[in-house]
């Protein structure tokens, strides 16, 4: 049995893609309920090999340590055997051979394991011919379990009556049934009248997400909905408040969609992974209108471009709408938790009703961010330096800012008194400053803190302001002043819609690692690592962070669908 398995592995590992040929979706038999396609894999692997990231990874202490393990030695020995057999190193094989590959998944009545079709196009027929010559002895040795048949320019292989292969000078097709192989051959020759590309659900995915991608995958949700029921056996009401707030709109829209599509694109500038479903939020009615922003609008505001921005998240949610529909959205047992929340939070808003007064004061977007801060206002600095943090949210009415300012002052007064009594911080008093015409409530130390390694609590200098219809709470006065400047600028209304946006700026995070490197190295040494290794790991972390300009995870409302995107851009 080992010889046929080795044969299959080699065949499907070293065959590839023909440039300028039609996409394999135009050849794959139609009745697939799932489809995966990879294009130009060889070139992407070469780009990875030649990248600085790959070089840094090889230089990392973890990889060097792994190379000393017996398992790595076995892998290296296996690589040498494969390269000797193929007559070329694996990187060369990848560059010459790896290309377009497609897999189709087909339902099988009353059998859990589905049928499969695999198609591979070769980009270099001469290289593929060389590999076939190398495979010839293996096929001959396996003649007891492998049946061969020539059909014109095609060589057919039947392995133990369970796997069916067709080898062509330009492509390979394999299937778990003879019927699917025949359909695949017809598709690859351009003779098939019905293929995956003609499936209505697949065409919707191509319409919404495009056809040209490094990797794309598609699932026929309509088929699985017929098997599992219209709601995929999910209850009408949610049993988790966080899930309801963060994901319920997406899940409900997915239940209406005919497809789930996935795409991945990667090149020298970065990568982008996208997941998409179809459907317009309005089909869900007013039960979920609090969840979605409008397509064609920015949705969440752009992240303020403050100096030293390390990252943040921004989300579109009408909290008042969600809170008002909580009995429709969530199970009855969760309602007691909301009652408890109202009684506890009511202590901060005496005489105010949470549902009628407090929740409606929030606008439709909330933002949280972190950015570099300095400690020039101290006669010293904290031993562990943290970034400044800020929480921003829209106000339904500008005057609602006074309500949150009162809460801010109450909380800060209480925490300052407790901290001073415990001797953790210098005493401080509430004060106000004005920056670009905006009043900022903050604190002022009665005596500037002194010392080279102050307590970590000195990273926080709470302050708050109302700017252009947004309330801002911040842990750094320096950061809040920068936010005031940025928030007074007009927003780009033509920006891509983002219903949720989480982004990191790793190069700025590298600076945070650098200023805390002494502390981080010391903690590594305390875990038992040698000093040299501890320093090397921190230095590697800095290099890797500096290599990435931005990482972003976001969602967006489209005209005919909803998409989730993970994007990374490499630093130049």
């Amino acid at each position: 049995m080992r010889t046929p398995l080795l044969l299959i592995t080699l065949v499907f590992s070293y065959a590839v893609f023909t440039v300028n040929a039609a996409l394999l979706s135009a050849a794959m038999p139609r009745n697939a309920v799932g489809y995966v396609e990879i294009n130009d894999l060889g070139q992407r692997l070469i780009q990875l090999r030649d990248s600085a990231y790959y070089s840094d990874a090889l230089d990392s202490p973890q990889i060097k340590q792994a190379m000393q393990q017996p398992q790595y030695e076995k892998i290296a020995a296996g690589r040498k055997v494969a390269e000797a057999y193929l007559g070329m190193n694996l990187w060369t094989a990848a560059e010459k051979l790896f290309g377009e590959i497609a897999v189709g998944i087909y339902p099988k009545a009353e059998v859990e394991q589905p049928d499969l079709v695999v198609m591979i196009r070769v980009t270099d027929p001469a290289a593929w011919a060389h590999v076939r010559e190398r495979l010839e002895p293996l096929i001959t040795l396996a003649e007891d379990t492998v049946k061969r048949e020539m059909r014109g320019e095609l060589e057919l292989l039947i392995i133990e009556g369970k796997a069916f292969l067709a080898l062509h000078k330009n492509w390979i097709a394999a299937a778990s049934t003879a019927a699917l192989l025949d359909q695949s051959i017809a598709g690859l020759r351009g003779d098939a009248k019905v293929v995956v590309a003609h499936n209505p659900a697949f065409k919707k995915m191509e319409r919404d997400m495009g056809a040209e991608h490094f990797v794309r995958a598609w699932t026929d949700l309509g088929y699985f909905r017929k098997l599992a029921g219209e709601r995929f056996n999910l209850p009408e009401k949610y049993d988790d408040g966080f899930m309801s707030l963060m994901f319920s709109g997406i899940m409900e829209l997915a239940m209406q969609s005919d497809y789930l599509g996935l795409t991945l694109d990667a090149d020298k500038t970065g990568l982008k992974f996208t997941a998409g479903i179809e459907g317009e939020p309005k089909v869900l009615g007013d039960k979920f209108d609090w969840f979605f922003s409008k397509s064609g609008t920015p949705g969440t505001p752009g992240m303020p471009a403050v100096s030293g921005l390390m990252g943040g998240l921004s989300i579109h949610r009408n909290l008042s709408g969600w809170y008002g529909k909580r009995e429709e959205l969530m199970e009855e047992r969760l309602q007691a938790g909301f009652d408890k929340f109202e009684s506890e939070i009511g202590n901060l808003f005496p005489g105010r009703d949470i549902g009628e007064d407090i929740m409606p004061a929030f606008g439709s977007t909330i933002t949280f961010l972190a950015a570099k801060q300095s400690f020039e206002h101290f006669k010293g600095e904290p031993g562990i330096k943290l970034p400044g943090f800020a929480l921003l949210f829209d106000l339904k009415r500008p005057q609602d800012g006074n309500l949150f300012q009162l809460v801010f002052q109450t909380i800060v007064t209480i925490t300052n008194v407790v901290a001073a009594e415990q001797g953790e911080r210098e005493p401080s008093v509430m004060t106000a400053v004005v920056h670009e015409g905006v009043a900022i409530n903050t604190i002022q130390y009665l005596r500037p803190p002194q010392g080279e390694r102050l307590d970590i609590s000195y990273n926080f200098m709470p302050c708050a302001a109302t700017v252009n219809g947004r309330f801002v709470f911040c842990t750094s006065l320096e950061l809040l002043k920068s936010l005031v400047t940025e928030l007074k600028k007009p927003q780009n209304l033509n920006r891509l819609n983002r219903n949720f946006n989480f982004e990191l700026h790793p190069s700025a995070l590298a600076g945070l690692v650098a200023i805390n490197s002494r502390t981080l190295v010391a903690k590594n040494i305390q875990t038992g690592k040698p000093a040299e290794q501890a320093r090397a790991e921190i230095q590697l972390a800095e290099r890797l962070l500096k290599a990435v300009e931005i990482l972003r995870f976001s969602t967006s409302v489209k005209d005919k669908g909803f998409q989730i995107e993970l994007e990374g851009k490499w630093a130049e």
Side-chain angles (χ1 to χ4, degrees):
M1 183 64 184
R2 290 183 179 179
T3 301
L5 288 176
L6 177 61
L7 172 63
I8 294 174
T9 301
L10 288 172
V11 168
F12 289 110
S13 296
Y14 302 108
V16 291
F17 165 65
T18 297
V19 179
N20 297 327
L23 294 172
L24 286 177
S25 59
M28 187 68 66
R30 174 175 178 169
N31 293 328
V33 295
Y35 176 78
V36 180
E37 181 180 279
I38 306 174
N39 297 292
D40 207 14
L41 178 59
Q43 288 302 311
R44 299 302 194 282
L45 292 174
I46 295 302
Q47 288 174 6
L48 174 63
R49 181 200 65 183
D50 296 340
S51 69
Y53 322 116
Y54 182 73
S55 177
D56 283 342
L58 291 181
D59 287 339
S60 69
Q62 294 86 349
I63 295 297
K64 289 182 178 179
Q65 185 177 1
M67 288 179 176
Q68 299 174 1
Q69 302 301 315
Q71 295 89 338
Y72 179 83
E73 294 178 0
K74 292 180 180 180
I75 293 173
R79 173 180 174 176
K80 289 181 180 179
V81 171
E83 289 178 341
Y85 191 84
L86 291 172
M88 64 183 81
N89 68 60
L90 295 186
W91 288 112
T92 301
E95 185 177 15
K96 289 179 175 292
L97 299 175
F98 282 0
E100 186 181 8
I101 304 171
V103 178
I105 303 172
Y106 296 81
K108 205 170 184 178
E110 299 180 359
V111 179
E112 292 185 1
Q113 184 175 353
D115 284 321
L116 297 176
V117 169
V118 179
M119 294 179 175
I120 305 174
R121 279 204 184 106
V122 299
T123 188
D124 186 342
W128 171 227
H130 170 77
V131 171
R132 289 184 67 179
E133 288 179 4
R134 296 282 182 160
L135 292 174
E136 185 66 26
L138 283 178
I139 297 174
T140 301
L141 287 173
E143 61 183 4
D144 291 339
T145 54
V146 179
K147 294 183 179 179
R148 303 175 71 171
E149 176 186 342
M150 297 302 298
R151 188 186 298 175
E153 60 182 354
L154 286 181
E155 180 179 8
L156 303 182
L157 304 177
I158 303 175
I159 302 175
E160 295 184 336
K162 297 179 180 179
F164 302 82
L165 291 81
L167 309 184
H168 184 271
K169 65 179 181 179
N170 292 322
W171 49 260
I172 298 173
S176 53
T177 70
L180 281 173
L181 181 65
D182 289 339
Q183 295 175 47
S184 301
I185 292 171
L188 287 164
R189 286 175 165 172
D191 297 332
K193 296 181 179 179
V194 181
V195 293
V196 161
H198 297 154
N199 185 305
F202 186 87
K203 292 171 72 173
K204 288 180 180 179
M205 183 200 68
E206 282 198 334
R207 174 201 66 192
D208 297 339
M209 305 184 69
E212 301 289 341
H213 297 282
F214 167 41
V215 179
R216 62 175 179 164
W218 161 83
T219 298
D220 188 342
L221 289 184
Y223 169 81
F224 292 102
R225 191 158 46 239
K226 291 178 182 177
L227 295 180
E230 285 300 311
R231 292 189 57 82
F232 293 98
N233 289 327
L234 292 175
E236 290 283 348
K237 293 185 177 182
Y238 290 83
D239 61 0
D240 185 291
F242 179 79
M243 286 289 293
S244 170
L245 179 64
M246 297 299 297
F247 305 111
S248 61
I250 302 173
M251 296 169 67
E252 294 293 327
L253 199 62
M255 293 178 198
Q256 312 284 330
S257 177
D258 282 343
Y259 74 81
L260 169 64
L262 305 173
T263 66
L264 173 65
D265 295 288
D267 57 27
K268 294 180 179 179
T269 64
L271 62 84
K272 181 187 294 186
F273 171 82
T274 304
I277 54 178
E278 69 164 329
E280 299 178 63
K282 64 182 181 182
V283 304
L284 301 179
D286 61 3
K287 184 177 179 180
F288 291 95
D289 59 3
W290 54 270
F291 190 96
F292 299 97
S293 54
K294 293 182 180 179
S295 64
T297 69
T300 62
M303 198 64 62
V306 295
S307 176
L309 179 65
M310 297 179 184
L313 65 86
S314 186
I315 183 170
H316 174 96
R317 293 292 186 275
N318 184 327
L319 292 179
S320 178
W322 172 73
Y323 196 81
K325 294 183 174 69
R326 61 190 183 278
E327 294 183 359
E328 297 179 56
L329 295 168
M330 285 163 279
E331 292 182 355
E332 184 176 353
R333 66 180 182 82
L334 297 180
Q335 304 308 316
F338 284 100
D339 294 338
K340 182 180 179 181
F341 166 77
E342 287 192 1
S343 68
E344 292 179 349
I345 205 71
N347 295 327
L348 294 174
F349 300 94
R352 303 291 185 106
D353 183 87
I354 301 300
E356 298 295 329
D357 301 319
I358 307 306
M359 299 304 289
F362 288 95
S364 59
T365 65
I366 301 173
T367 301
F368 177 81
L369 62 84
K372 179 182 178 181
Q373 66 170 322
S374 66
F375 302 94
E376 296 176 355
H377 51 292
F378 292 166
K379 292 182 179 179
E381 58 185 19
I384 297 177
K385 303 172 189 66
L386 300 178
F389 300 98
L391 176 67
L392 307 80
F393 52 84
D394 295 345
L395 298 169
K396 277 289 182 66
R397 300 170 301 176
Q399 58 266 36
D400 289 330
N402 297 328
L403 174 65
F404 295 105
Q405 286 284 9
L406 178 60
V407 174
F408 164 76
Q409 293 174 16
T410 302
I411 294 174
V412 170
T413 299
I414 294 173
T415 55
N416 278 341
V417 169
V418 172
E421 289 178 347
Q422 295 177 350
E424 296 177 352
R425 289 166 60 106
E426 292 286 347
S428 61
V429 295
M430 291 292 302
T431 187
V433 298
V434 177
H435 180 72
E436 296 187 9
V438 175
I440 300 175
N441 288 324
T442 185
I443 65 169
Q444 181 178 354
Y445 290 107
L446 298 180
R447 183 177 61 184
Q450 301 182 41
E452 292 184 0
R453 297 186 65 79
L454 294 170
D455 187 80
I456 193 173
S457 63
Y458 283 105
N459 282 279
F460 307 104
M461 189 174 183
C463 45
T466 301
V467 191
N468 272 1
R470 301 180 77 184
F471 182 79
V472 186
F473 169 74
C474 200
T475 65
S476 163
L477 180 58
E478 175 189 18
L479 175 56
L480 183 47
K481 288 180 177 180
S482 297
L483 287 169
V484 168
T485 301
E486 288 299 317
L487 294 177
K488 294 181 74 173
K489 296 178 181 178
Q491 185 180 349
N492 177 14
L493 299 179
N494 296 321
R495 182 177 59 77
L496 174 72
N497 175 279
R498 295 194 182 107
N499 208 60
F500 172 90
N501 181 48
F502 171 73
E503 61 184 60
L504 286 177
H505 297 256
S507 56
L509 287 171
L512 185 65
V513 172
I515 63 175
N516 289 293
S517 59
R518 186 173 67 173
T519 301
L520 295 173
V521 169
K523 288 186 176 295
N524 267 358
I525 293 174
Q526 290 174 3
T527 64
K529 294 178 181 178
E532 183 178 352
Q533 180 183 346
R535 284 191 292 271
E537 289 183 356
I538 300 305
Q539 291 168 358
L540 175 63
E542 284 187 58
R543 290 203 307 272
L544 292 176
L545 288 170
K546 289 178 180 178
V548 183
E549 178 182 333
I550 186 173
L551 290 173
R552 174 181 285 119
F553 177 80
S554 62
T555 67
S556 58
V557 181
K558 303 295 185 181
D559 289 339
K560 294 184 179 296
F562 189 89
Q563 294 184 3
I564 301 172
E565 183 177 285
L566 174 63
E567 179 183 13
K569 290 185 179 179
W570 316 138
E572 296 182 357

